[in-house]
């Protein structure tokens, strides 16, 4: 039934708890790895960064990594028809890959405990491989990337998932990474290197519920996992009950070819209805922004700042370095509203234009908002009132970090609100109810579901 | 088996010749419509165009239609790492839609005989609807667009195909149009308005073989047609033989989920390997180009010119108008090499980066070349030697026009060369053999097959 997921029909089994798990205490493993290294991060003037040039754009002396440029944006999406902003330009396509292997009959995911300088909780679980060509071709002379060849050259192993997916289209211009899941056969030995450990999906779910334990790059890869129809011969008998059972059933619903075609037609209508015109400009030409040696900031202190960060660490590819970071104002929130409709849990998504989106519009969560940027009620997005709903409706509430390699202290509250079956919601025409099965199928086709919504979907696994 | 094609399993039947066709002589119909109107086109200075402003960019006083800007391009695809060029910016998403209806059991396509000022053969068959929002919202006060509502609001009719597809990514920046095929039920009356007539696929194939009879917009929509597995109950018994039979079998081959996933993985490898960095700039900043009141041209006369065109006509939405046009140097050619492999006809495609491509790289024909732009052998694309192959290998050879609403005298020679089964071709790593079935499935997913290759695929129907 799915185009790209192969051999994934019993990922569900990995949600079971083993009696003797390989990693008995994933939290303790994180703490231990954090204690094994010393980290120090400090904000420094943007003009003081070695090898970074600050001029019409901010770029690295090697010409690699990323640059920060100005962007002029015009759109009919949202309340603001025209603005300027800094944006990160990173044309390289990185690999975000997770190795999966069935151990004692249960799928395990090879996760790395990794420090990222921007994260509030510095060490988190990331994908098996998280690397741009600049990293793994060792432009800055770092160490080699473990497990890279499993993804660059999978050989006879099963490529469960392989797709380009967008990232943070409000902060990155046309950024996409290659999201991969590769399954190694049970009989193949894959030793876990330092900082690496095998976790079940059940353990990952526990970490996701805690918040700030599974990094953004791991979440986007995990979001591609589908709970497909169980294979009767595999003997995965017990169906989960409660809310998780409803999630699994929503994954198995509504993903017919007709439903997909109908959703795509609706999304094309949205793309045709929203205009978006972006133009890369020199940083000093951004009206409303102050650019100097200290950094880049909005003249009213809104949105985000571009700052310099000095990092001292022993467990990353390079011991110490300094780089620009994007630091958003606090208050980011992403929220799905869900409701049961004819027995299936449906999620309210919106077609959202974002300046850096490769194809203008992608599906976003019900509410995706930078509350710290808003000036007043006029700026509040539609349906923001659900953020103040009855606490008993909240089924997911955890703070997750954005990519800590580019964003500093970018903590986003992840909410899923389940409203009563008879509760009426009046949503604008660019909103639509979808099952998780349909959303997952769209996600796997490429630039259809934005990273903020995918991150939330990972929290629902 | 297909995601988006519904109800299309017996498009094949429309290839049959009716004993009493609805339109006995499609060529005569074109000639008659051409005679019924008078047209006059004339090149005029770019600076003389009413309502068009010539400055840092060329734009219309309404802010609608399209603009022409400068583009700075850097890429590792092809022999030229860096250049400047003018490019057409047209963010609006137009509709290219064809109505199809089974008449006397045979599928008929509602085609319009339409004048486009840039075409060498002025009047050609175009899609039922070919309109941008600027057209159908009547920005320039023209007539209403017939049949538009069949596509804006298909109601219970079957949407056979609906997808955003790219156009001419060397001349347009991020241009895409909505390609649609809508089938009306047999019992629904759809009167053919003036200039419109119903043609079978067999008749369209004959016109395509003549060349310059079916316009680019019609060809891109037609390229989405798949020869799917015949429905035994439909009684479409006779299989075509000869070359056309091989085409039909190639359409029915190699489009499994595994083949699709493998092709996508290969294409992601190509996207990761090719860099492309484009930046919109002011026209006067394009080194190597001359911009003045006469027009825009390359200082060595290469590539193309931007000219003014004055048009007098009685059969288009507006009687007379003037507009900028892109006029390429002559010598454009697009060529597929095909060869039988294990009984199936396979086509050699290449992953090609083009400056205006929405996602950097799409699949192109074996050779896609603007011979008029080349300075010498170093500039010749790989495999260009097939253009001089044995004449007996040529199975398609016809000149087709590009979009005559934006391009002037843009006549592209369409070639398909079938090489002997034992002929060896050495192609670079960004080339791959694909069946028509796989190519068609990729095409229907969106930005995977470029318009030049799609146009060639339409000639193979």
């Amino acid at each position: 039934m799915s185009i790209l997921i192969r051999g994934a029909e019993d990922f569900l089994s990995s949600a079971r708890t083993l009696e003797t798990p390989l990693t008995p205490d994933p939290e303790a493993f994180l703490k231990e790895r954090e204690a094994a290294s010393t980290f120090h991060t400090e904000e420094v003037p943007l003009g003081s960064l070695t090898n970074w040039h600050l001029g019409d754009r901010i770029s690295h002396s090697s010409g690699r990594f990323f640059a920060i440029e100005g962007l002029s944006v015009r759109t009919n999406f949202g309340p603001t028809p025209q603005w300027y902003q800094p944006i990160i330009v990173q044309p390289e396509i990185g690999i975000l890959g997770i190795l999966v292997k069935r151990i004692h009959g249960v799928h395990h995911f090879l996760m790395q405990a990794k420090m990222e300088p921007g994260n509030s909780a510095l060490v988190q679980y990331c994908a098996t491989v998280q690397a741009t060509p600049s990293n793994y071709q060792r432009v800055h002379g770092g160490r080699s990337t473990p497990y890279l060849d499993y993804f660059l050259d999978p050989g006879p192993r099963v490529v469960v998932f392989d797709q380009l997916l967008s990232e943070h289209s409000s902060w990155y211009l046309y950024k996409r990474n290659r999201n991969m899941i590769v399954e190694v056969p049970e009989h193949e030995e894959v030793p876990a290197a330092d900082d690496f450990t095998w976790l079940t999906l059940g353990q990952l779910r526990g970490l996701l519920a805690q918040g700030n334990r599974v990094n953004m790059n791991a979440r986007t890869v995990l979001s591609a996992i589908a709970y497909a129809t169980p294979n009767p011969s595999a003997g995965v008998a017990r169906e989960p009950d409660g809310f998780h059972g409803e999630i699994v059933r929503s994954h198995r619903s509504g993903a017919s070819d007709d439903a997909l075609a109908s959703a795509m037609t609706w999304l094309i209508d949205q793309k045709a209805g929203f205009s978006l015109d972006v133009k890369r400009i020199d940083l000093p030409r951004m009206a409303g922004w102050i650019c100097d040696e200290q950094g880049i900031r909005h003249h009213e202190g809104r949105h985000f700042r571009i700052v310099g960060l000095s990092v001292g660490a022993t467990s990353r590819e390079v011991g110490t370095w300094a780089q620009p970071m994007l630091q958003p104002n606090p208050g980011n929130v992403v929220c799905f509203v869900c409701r049961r409709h004819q027995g299936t849990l449906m999620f309210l998504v919106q077609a959202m234009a974002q300046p850096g989106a490769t194809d203008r519009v992608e599906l976003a969560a019900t509410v995706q908002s930078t509350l710290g940027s808003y000036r007043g009620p006029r700026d509040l997005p539609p349906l923001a009132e659900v953020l103040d709903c009855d606490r008993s409706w909240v089924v997911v509430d955890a703070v997750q970090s954005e990519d800590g390699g580019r964003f500093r202290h970018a903590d986003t509250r992840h909410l899923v609100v389940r409203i009563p079956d008879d509760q009426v919601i009046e949503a604008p025409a660019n909103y639509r109810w979808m099952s998780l099965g349909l959303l997952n199928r769209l996600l796997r086709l490429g630039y259809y579901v934005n990273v903020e919504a995918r991150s939330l979907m990972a929290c629902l696994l």
Side-chain angles (χ1 to χ4, degrees), chain A residues 55-58 68-70 86 281-286 291 296:
Chain A
D56 287 342
R57 63 203 295 261
I58 302 172
I68 296 173
E69 303 187 356
I281 60 170
D282 294 339
L283 287 171
R285 287 182 58 205
M286 296 187 302
C291 306
I296 303 178

Side-chain angles (χ1 to χ4, degrees), chain A residues 3 68 145 148 250:
Chain A
I3 303 177
I68 296 173
T145 304
L148 182 64
S250 183

Side-chain angles (χ1 to χ4, degrees), chain A residues 1-4 161 163 223-224 226 251 254-261 264 435-446 448-449 457:
Chain A
M1 60 136 264
S2 67
I3 303 177
L4 290 163
F161 180 68
Q163 187 57 277
S223 73
H251 259 279
S256 68
D257 287 355
D258 277 1
L260 182 69
M264 284 180 136
S435 71
L436 287 176
L438 177 58
L439 263 178
N440 187 275
R441 194 164 171 190
L442 285 162
L443 184 162
R444 284 182 276 124
L445 286 173
Y448 283 99
V449 181
M457 286 168 72

Side-chain angles (χ1 to χ4, degrees), chain A residues 373-441:
Chain A
S373 292
Y374 286 94
R375 277 178 296 207
R378 177 185 151 276
D379 270 357
L380 274 185
L383 306 175
E385 63 274 14
V386 300
L387 304 179
D388 299 318
C389 74
D390 191 318
R391 277 302 295 176
S392 67
W393 296 359
V394 175
V395 286
V396 167
D397 187 355
V399 172
Q400 313 286 1
S401 63
E402 307 302 339
D403 180 353
R406 297 286 174 271
F407 309 127
R408 184 162 191 238
H409 297 171
D411 294 319
T412 302
R413 185 174 173 200
H414 283 52
L415 275 175
V416 178
V417 171
R418 179 179 181 170
I419 63 174
D421 297 356
D422 57 356
Q423 181 83 15
V424 175
I425 284 232
E426 302 224 356
N430 64 315
Y431 289 69
R432 189 175 168 109
W433 294 95
M434 294 191 183
S435 71
L436 287 176
L438 177 58
L439 263 178
N440 187 275
R441 194 164 171 190

Side-chain angles (χ1 to χ4, degrees), chain A residues 197-244:
Chain A
T197 193
W198 293 96
L199 300 181
T200 67
L201 196 55
Q203 292 179 313
L204 285 166
R205 182 188 308 134
L207 292 163
L208 284 162
Q210 288 292 315
N212 268 338
R213 304 285 190 284
V214 180
N215 84 350
M216 195 278 281
N217 290 331
R219 296 199 304 277
T220 166
V221 179
L222 293 171
S223 73
I225 294 177
Y227 288 116
T229 311
N231 180 346
S233 68
V236 183
R238 195 171 61 82
E239 285 275 314
D241 44 23
F243 182 66
H244 185 57

